[in-house]
Amino acid sequence: MSTLEELTALSANPFNPVIKEWKAEGKKVVGFLCTYMPEEILYAADILPVRLRAPNCSETSSADVYMSHLNCTFMRSCLQYMFQGRFDFLDGFVFTNSCDHTRRLYDISREVLDYPYVHLFSIPHKAGGTEVTLWHKGEVARFKESVEAAFGVEITEAKLRQAIDVYNETRHLLRDLYELRKSDSPPISGAETLSVVLAGNSLPKDRYNQMLRDLLDELRKREGIAKYRSRLMIAGSGGCDNPDYLGLMEEMGGLIVTDSLCFGSRYFWEPVDTGGDLILNIARAYLNRPSCANMTDRVIERAEFVKQMVEDFRVDGVVFQRMRYCDLWGGQLLYMEHDLKKSDIPLLSLAREYKMRDVGQVRTRIQAFLEMVGR
């Protein structure tokens, strides 16, 4: 089995064999949903952070008792998995106030479910300014103290710096992977790349880094993908964690060469400085990464990041996908449609559910978009 095949297999199951091995050693696992949660804090405590998803969730009947149909189906699917016991391997859960849907999930889990450790990690909704950074530093420090108290551990400066080094290597290796996609014939598709990034959301990062090094060696020897109609970028909201969704576009000839997704580039783009105040460095780096739409002062910067990606990866068209009822990314779309039009960058907007539905309609719209931007 190639490294790519192994990573793809590991990405398919939220409770994969590596997590089972970790648990068998008596170690703790803590789940989280948002990339603004500083994983280095948990990793420095020898706790495995696992970003949770609900792949193949077919219905949300139990979750719908507690959540409105106006809540996004990503959060409803995760809640359904909680009720089904699919996350019972967790020793705790870290939520964020990133959006109303996520906050609602926190409220329900706190009142109805019984996780040994539950923490709400507050994030600001503006990313710029010294005052905001210092406030966020306080939240990172509070989270560190919460982990130490709940799990009886001490997160020393040496352990935290070591964790940052490991995560920075992950970021560096994933940036190298994306560099390979700039070529005329990229050796890896968009769907395959998403599987690789997803696998890293549930693996110990030192083990994942070795697999990434092996993968890069294999890809440099792999024949590139030359037969495609257009080079595409996919952008937009969270919940885009299904490689089949990207594969649908690529089956029709649109090769996805880059992205602006929290399950993609926004997860690893910004390294953390290892000199000086490490807690401050973590707070600053997480706020300075390509932002989510919950950061209300970064609307222009998000559009500029997309345009820079278009230039760097020679993108022919941008597919902007968002979960239905995601008002934050709906607002970003209004600005981006206008801004990209001024720059003559073709944009296709797709509203979607977490479970792949209306495949025929998506095919039709992708087909028309590829005909418009095709080479």
Side-chain angles (χ1 to χ4, degrees), residues 6 36 65 101 128 135 148 165 167 178 210 232 243 281-282 292 322 337:
E6 187 176 358
Y36 280 101
V65 174
H101 307 274
W135 180 89
E148 290 177 321
D165 285 339
Y167 271 76
Y178 272 54
Q210 182 56 57
L232 300 180
N281 295 345
I282 290 173
C292 173
R322 69 180 181 91
E337 283 178 324

Side-chain angles (χ1 to χ4, degrees), residues 53 55-56 191 194-195 198 239-247 263 352 354-356:
R53 306 178 290 121
N56 304 316
L194 179 57
S195 292
L198 290 176
C240 189
D241 65 341
N242 188 345
D244 291 341
Y245 187 70
L246 277 61
F263 279 107
R352 56 182 290 263
Y354 186 61
K355 180 182 177 182
M356 281 185 65

